[in-house]
Amino acid sequence: MFGTAAVLGTTAAAWLGSEQEAVDDKTEVEAYFNGDVGFGRWNRIYSMSEDVNSVQLDIRKGHDETIEAVVARAGEVAGSTWCDVGCGVGSLALPVAQRGAKVYASDISAAMVAETTARAAAAGVELAECVTADMESIKGSYETVSCIDVMIHYPDEKMRELVQKLTDLSSDRVFVSFAPKTLQYQVLKKIGSLFPGPSKATRAYLHAEADVVDALQQNGYQVLSRHLTARNFYFSLLLEAKRVAA
């Protein structure tokens, strides 16, 4: 799903096994996060439910840290426009809207969009928009664009297209997080490829920080800050980038 799984697995090693036959990643992601298993698992993880195991709780805490890092860096957002691409269950969209931003949220999973809408209503939070949409169909211009824990679904050859889309949508600032390609995580990924099976959710793609930074720079953005969340089962590198004045 666009936005709820830039972790390295609910069953970490198995989740990382991605060296399999060619499959349409977008179709696979959409089906998984609209299904009872995928949606149910991640909705439960990204909630206050006590019905989670120790691995899922670790993932929840890691994701919460990444969200908190975005909010802390966002500063004053009241009255500004914010596009949250791959909003998941609204983990970022809701707190940003609560701070007064006009939030336009979207996700490829209709189930996740419905959950975000329900959570917003329960919390008394108004979103400017919350729609089911894939990356290609998102239009408009927004001061801030966020894409949290989504890039893990994009192979290297698609990563730069994703970054270009985010920067095209943004007039000022981009927040993007991804699973960093380091020796430690590559070893874990390799171990995961030895254990294919039903426990795997979707393929997980790691990205070198230098490549993501370069993609941002090629589209006129300079990285202002970085934050690495590294737990036992959640690894995510957040970059905050700002458009360079012409």
Side-chain angles (χ1 to χ4, degrees), residues 165-244:
K165 179 66 177 183
L166 299 177
T167 55
D168 285 348
L169 290 170
S170 172
S171 64
D172 182 46
R173 182 170 54 175
V174 168
F175 289 100
V176 62
S177 68
F178 54 95
K181 184 183 289 184
T182 66
L183 179 59
Q184 175 188 356
Y185 304 154
Q186 285 179 293
V187 169
L188 184 58
K189 179 181 169 73
K190 183 62 177 178
I191 293 172
S193 70
L194 302 176
F195 299 94
S199 61
K200 188 179 81 64
T202 60
R203 268 179 303 278
Y205 297 103
L206 312 183
H207 298 284
E209 179 179 359
D211 292 343
V212 180
V213 171
D214 181 67
L216 287 164
Q217 292 176 339
Q218 291 297 318
N219 286 280
Y221 276 72
Q222 179 181 0
V223 174
L224 296 182
S225 69
R226 64 190 298 278
H227 176 86
L228 175 65
T229 303
R231 299 184 63 88
N232 291 329
F233 298 97
Y234 178 99
F235 311 91
S236 185
L237 179 59
L238 170 70
L239 299 180
E240 174 193 9
K242 188 174 179 63
R243 183 178 291 278
V244 178

Side-chain angles (χ1 to χ4, degrees), residues 6-45:
V7 297
L8 298 191
T10 50
T11 309
W15 202 89
L16 280 168
S18 63
E19 306 306 324
Q20 300 187 1
E21 68 280 2
V23 177
D24 182 339
D25 289 287
K26 185 169 75 171
T27 299
E28 182 182 73
V29 168
E30 182 177 7
Y32 175 75
F33 286 104
N34 271 322
D36 292 339
V37 174
F39 170 72
R41 174 184 295 168
W42 292 101
N43 185 37
R44 191 168 60 252
I45 291 173

Side-chain angles (χ1 to χ4, degrees), residues 151 159-167 212 215-216 219:
M151 197 178 285
M159 177 274 289
R160 290 181 180 273
E161 294 178 17
L162 168 61
V163 171
Q164 182 176 358
K165 179 66 177 183
L166 299 177
T167 55
V212 180
L216 287 164
N219 286 280

